């Protein structure tokens, strides 16, 4: 990461804004009479009607276009470009002007979910569906001999973002549902990918035999990315993990892992288990602590550290991203986020549950709504994040007090249908260099602007590269 302004000048600006933010925070702190109250109560918006709190507004939208008509998925950012995953490939957006983003390039390369990360001149794409081959000219395959079916990681050269070039594939067991970029240790000319995948079928599948209680680790030499290869497949759950229950998923792998490389930590959302790892040795992650929630969590989906690395927010994908879970019948504690403090030191660190957070608005029973991907907003001294909730929209919430999280802003569209259960909405909503970018599953890209005295200082922080599951200390940006 590098600064985009001289450090001395940046620090003076931050000091001035910090003083303003402190005063404003005292006037509008969560829980005070001036705190933002969600607009609309439990009133369901009309079909496609946009509603929001006064402090969060849409400033741009781009529809899907060209051959990438599949489901939109995750984001990665670098410089003026945003890379948006899609089941049919990935978009390259020019976001130099957030109020007028444009499509700079499209790469047709089918293979769900096309989870995406970037590092330097490299882009990594995760494929979690069996394909006829490892190129971008492929089709879904269930007829090929199992060993001939391909799924895993594709590597692209994005030295020219307008013309990405396919370099290399790495086949991984059970494919790559998600993949997390892990910087090498200081001085190491390599990056790693922690590849998460799982088997929900309950039976052996081609290329995904049970028990699949492991992750795949791919090492990518930066001087020779074509030599990328699987270097380890550590078993995360030698005891088999959570065996499953009527309300919770059996653990047969991990869904997603977030790393905080500076602190040698990772947090794994692993179906029926939440995991805290020591990643001092990048190729040999070591479990420090695991937790379960057999009452309210159905499927541990993703994780976010706070900036000091003392908390983890885990999300629960109740309903697997295909159910209406933001309604009175489900309630506030299921299909929610769970906030854990990291207590203790060294090998004795543990994840200690503190509270749940769920958007404080009911959706229609026809709206697929679920806790999904989000990121921190860089506000020194506070823990604030933005998060996607499918058709529940985009929520900005404060968990500085782990026991009393509170929403401070929201934006959403109304249902896609009032008659039929329908999926859609925001898959990933991330803060990048002063704005929120939401990748809408069915409609395209939304750019949102947050204007709130509690978060205004965040606009002064800039980074050159952003992968949400590869967390940095934003105070060093």
């Amino acid at each position: 990461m590098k600064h985009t302004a001289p450090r001395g000048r940046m620090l003076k600006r931050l000091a001035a804004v910090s003083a303003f933010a402190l005063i404003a925070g005292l006037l509008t702190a969560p829980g005070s009479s001036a705190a933002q109250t969600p607009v609309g109560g439990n009133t369901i918006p009309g079909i496609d009607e946009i509603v929001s709190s006064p402090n969060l507004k849409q400033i741009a939208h781009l529809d899907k276009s060209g051959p990438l008509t599949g489901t939109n998925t995750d984001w990665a950012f670098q410089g003026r470009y945003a890379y948006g995953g899609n089941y049919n490939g990935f978009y390259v957006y020019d976001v130099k002007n957030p109020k007028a983003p444009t499509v700079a390039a499209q790469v047709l390369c089918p293979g769900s979910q096309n989870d995406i990360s970037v590092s330097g001149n490299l882009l990594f794409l995760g494929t979690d569906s069996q394909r006829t081959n490892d190129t971008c000219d492929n089709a879904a395959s269930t007829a090929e001999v199992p060993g001939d079916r391909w799924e895993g990681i594709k590597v692209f050269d994005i030295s020219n973002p307008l013309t990405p070039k396919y370099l290399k594939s790495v086949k991984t067991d059970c494919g790559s549902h998600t993949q997390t970029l892990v910087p090498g240790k200081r001085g190491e000319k390599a990056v790693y990918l922690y590849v998460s995948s799982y088997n929900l079928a309950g039976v052996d599948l081609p290329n995904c035999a049970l028990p699949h209680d492991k992750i795949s680790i791919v090492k990518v030499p930066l001087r020779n990315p074509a030599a990328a290869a699987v270097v380890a497949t550590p078993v995360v759950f030698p005891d088999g993990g959570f065996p499953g229950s009527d309300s919770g998923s059996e653990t047969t792998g991990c869904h997603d892992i977030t790393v905080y490389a500076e602190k040698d930590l990772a947090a794994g959302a692993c179906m029926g288990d939440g995991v805290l790892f020591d990643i001092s040795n990048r190729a040999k992650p070591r479990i420090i602590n695991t937790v379960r929630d057999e009452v309210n969590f159905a499927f541990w989906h993703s994780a976010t550290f706070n900036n000091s690395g003392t908390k983890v927010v885990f999300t629960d994908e109740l309903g697997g991203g295909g159910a209406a879970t933001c309604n009175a019948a489900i309630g506030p504690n299921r299909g929610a986020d769970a906030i854990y403090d990291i207590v203790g030191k060294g090998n004795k660190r543990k994840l200690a549950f503190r509270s749940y957070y769920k958007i404080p608005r009911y959706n229609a029973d026809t709206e697929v709504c679920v806790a999904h991907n989000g990121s921190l907003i860089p506000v020194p001294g506070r823990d604030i994040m933005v998060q996607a909730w499918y058709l529940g929209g985009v929520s900005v919430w404060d968990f500085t007090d782990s026991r009393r999280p509170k929403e401070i802003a929201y934006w959403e569209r109304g249902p896609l249908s009032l008659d039929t259960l329908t999926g859609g909405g925001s898959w990933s909503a991330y803060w990048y260099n002063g704005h929120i970018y939401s990748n809408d599953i069915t409609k395209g890209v939304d750019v949102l602007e947050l204007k709130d005295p509690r978060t205004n200082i965040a606009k002064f922080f800039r980074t050159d590269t952003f992968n949400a599951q590869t967390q940095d200390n934003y105070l060093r940006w």
Side-chain angles (χ1 to χ4, degrees), residues 8 18 47 107 120 132 135 170 308 397-398 407:
S18 294
I47 291 178
V107 176
T132 50
T135 74
V170 181
S308 61
W397 59 287
D398 187 319
E407 183 174 79

Side-chain angles (χ1 to χ4, degrees), residues 426-477:
S426 182
W427 179 290
S428 296
Y430 299 145
W431 177 276
Y432 179 64
N433 288 351
H435 292 86
I436 293 168
Y437 295 86
S438 170
N439 214 9
D440 188 287
I441 292 168
T442 60
K443 292 186 175 294
V445 174
D446 294 300
V447 185
L448 309 179
E449 185 172 41
L450 179 63
K451 290 185 176 181
D452 190 291
R454 291 163 288 192
T455 59
N456 282 343
I457 192 174
K459 295 180 181 180
F460 288 85
F461 289 85
R462 291 291 185 269
T463 182
D464 291 329
T465 302
F466 182 79
N467 300 290
Q469 289 76 39
T470 309
Q471 287 191 230
D472 282 326
N473 182 344
Y474 57 65
L475 294 177
R476 301 185 188 279
W477 289 0

Side-chain angles (χ1 to χ4, degrees), residues 4 10 67 154 170 188 202 226 241 247 291 303 322 361 380 395 397 462:
T4 56
M10 177 65 78
K154 293 188 177 83
V170 181
E188 188 175 10
S247 59
V291 289
R361 292 168 303 286
S395 178
W397 59 287
R462 291 291 185 269

